[in-house]
Amino acid sequence: MTIQWFPGHMTKARRQIEDRLKLIDVAIELLDARLPLSSRNPMIDDILRDKPRLIILNKSDLADPEMNRQWLAFFKGEGHAVHLVDASTGNGVKEIPDQVKLLLKEKIDKQIAKGMNPRAMRALIVGIPNVGKSTLINRMAGRNIAATGDRPGVTKGQQWIKTGGNLELLDTPGILWPKFEDQQVGYRLAITGAIREEILNVEDIAFYAVKYLLRDYGDRFRERYGIDKLPEDLENPDEIVAVMEAVGRKRGCLVSGGRVDLEKASRTLLHELRAGKLGRFTLEAPNTKG
């Protein structure tokens, strides 16, 4: 399966971000803690150039705690400022202004030394669709000012938003890159809902999810769906289908004759997975290759 996505509003969003760079002091790059590399737009480095940057690993409460620690160490090792957040619950959000202030300390100190009263810090929030930008902004602003939704592409324009901690935020639409050269990246993004399901084969996505998760989190399938025997050969598609059929039977995804509706079972599994009902999981490690 080849996944390509570059709607016109994403091209426009890139131009808008580039036009606004001169107005901002720092960029806040929002990633999904469950797939930090796959949710990282490779065009962002070119777009932001040398702007100071704070990497936020959002949805960290849904991610594997041990993998959160590994990803923090990875990004710190790359020389980045990085912070764990869960915008939905508010965990880690209140520390963001202080993190930004640390990044801008040299600039602020120079302004104070010149007798200037530093103005509010201005930050640009960037990230792919459905990574939680608007939810984070609403948390930081203390009110519902940015549109949110459980589907990609909700934010269409740009707006400055005042928050506490002497920080102003600029929200931007999520932008994906033109083509996923590594199809594994496309699958991972699809599992978490960063790509509209309308352009995908939902069964392919669910089967990929099952194959990956059985490797590291197999006991959860046994417990949640009453699967007595987990597959021994994850490369055998028949064994993955058997797991999906067990999920479908457990959730009543049946058609005439008692057969399992695999499409319905796939949608059910992905919904439960995204809602955290199978527990905390991470889809890639810092050493993930493809």
Side-chain angles (χ1 to χ4, degrees):
M1 181 184 68
T2 299
I3 302 175
Q4 298 187 52
W5 173 320
F6 208 49
H9 80 267
M10 291 188 182
T11 306
K12 180 180 178 182
R14 172 171 181 158
R15 289 198 302 266
Q16 288 176 329
I17 291 172
E18 290 171 336
D19 290 343
R20 294 294 184 98
L21 282 178
K22 61 182 178 293
L23 301 177
I24 68 163
D25 304 303
V26 63
I28 296 176
E29 182 183 6
L30 212 59
L31 307 179
D32 189 322
R34 297 167 296 178
L35 58 164
L37 287 188
S38 293
S39 63
R40 195 173 201 205
N41 190 331
M43 298 190 304
I44 288 296
D45 287 340
D46 291 335
I47 295 172
L48 298 180
R49 298 191 283 276
D50 58 351
K51 283 290 180 181
R53 191 184 321 182
L54 172 64
I55 292 177
I56 297 289
L57 297 180
N58 191 32
K59 306 186 181 183
S60 60
D61 286 13
L62 295 175
D64 185 318
E66 172 56 30
M67 296 308 301
N68 281 344
R69 288 188 284 272
Q70 290 189 31
W71 279 112
L72 281 175
F74 171 82
F75 284 113
K76 288 177 181 178
E78 294 285 311
H80 293 292
V82 58
H83 183 55
L84 286 176
V85 162
D86 191 86
S88 294
T89 62
N91 289 342
V93 171
K94 66 180 181 180
E95 291 86 7
I96 292 176
D98 288 338
Q99 295 278 341
V100 171
K101 191 173 182 179
L102 277 175
L103 279 173
L104 299 176
K105 184 178 185 305
E106 184 177 346
K107 181 177 181 178
I108 294 171
D109 288 346
K110 286 181 180 179
Q111 291 175 338
I112 294 175
K114 293 178 180 179
M116 300 169 60
N117 184 23
R119 61 167 172 76
M121 302 174 291
R122 286 185 166 180
L124 178 79
I125 292 192
V126 295
I128 67 170
N130 210 30
V131 78
K133 298 184 303 300
S134 296
T135 302
L136 177 63
I137 286 173
N138 290 338
R139 276 284 179 184
M140 295 180 69
R143 59 196 188 281
N144 291 331
I145 195 168
T148 62
D150 61 357
R151 67 188 192 282
V154 171
T155 302
K156 300 297 184 184
Q158 295 184 343
Q159 56 181 327
W160 285 105
I161 298 162
K162 292 184 178 180
T163 73
N166 198 34
L167 180 64
E168 294 180 355
L169 304 175
L170 178 61
D171 190 15
T172 61
I175 52 173
L176 285 169
W177 50 109
K179 181 181 179 181
F180 302 128
E181 301 295 341
D182 180 353
Q183 297 307 308
Q184 305 293 323
V185 171
Y187 278 113
R188 292 178 195 129
L189 289 170
I191 289 169
T192 58
I195 302 172
R196 294 182 188 275
E197 288 186 359
E198 296 94 301
I199 67 170
L200 303 169
N201 183 319
V202 70
E203 292 180 34
D204 285 347
I205 303 306
F207 281 35
Y208 179 90
V210 168
K211 181 178 175 180
Y212 183 92
L213 294 171
L214 282 173
R215 187 183 67 194
D216 294 328
Y217 309 103
D219 285 345
R220 300 181 190 177
F221 281 82
R222 191 196 314 274
E223 295 166 6
R224 185 162 184 83
Y225 301 115
I227 300 174
D228 295 329
K229 187 174 184 299
L230 296 175
E232 296 180 0
D233 181 6
L234 295 180
E235 297 304 319
N236 184 342
D238 291 338
E239 295 203 29
I240 305 301
V241 169
V243 171
M244 285 304 306
E245 289 179 337
V247 172
R249 283 191 293 272
K250 185 71 173 180
R251 293 293 176 262
C253 304
L254 304 175
V255 294
S256 59
R259 292 183 297 107
V260 173
D261 183 337
L262 286 177
E263 180 179 350
K264 187 175 181 181
S266 296
R267 294 189 187 281
T268 298
L269 174 71
L270 290 174
H271 174 75
E272 294 190 5
L273 190 62
R274 293 166 185 165
K277 294 182 178 179
L278 274 80
R280 301 172 65 168
F281 68 91
T282 299
L283 290 170
E284 58 189 5
N287 61 355
T288 296
K289 302 293 184 183

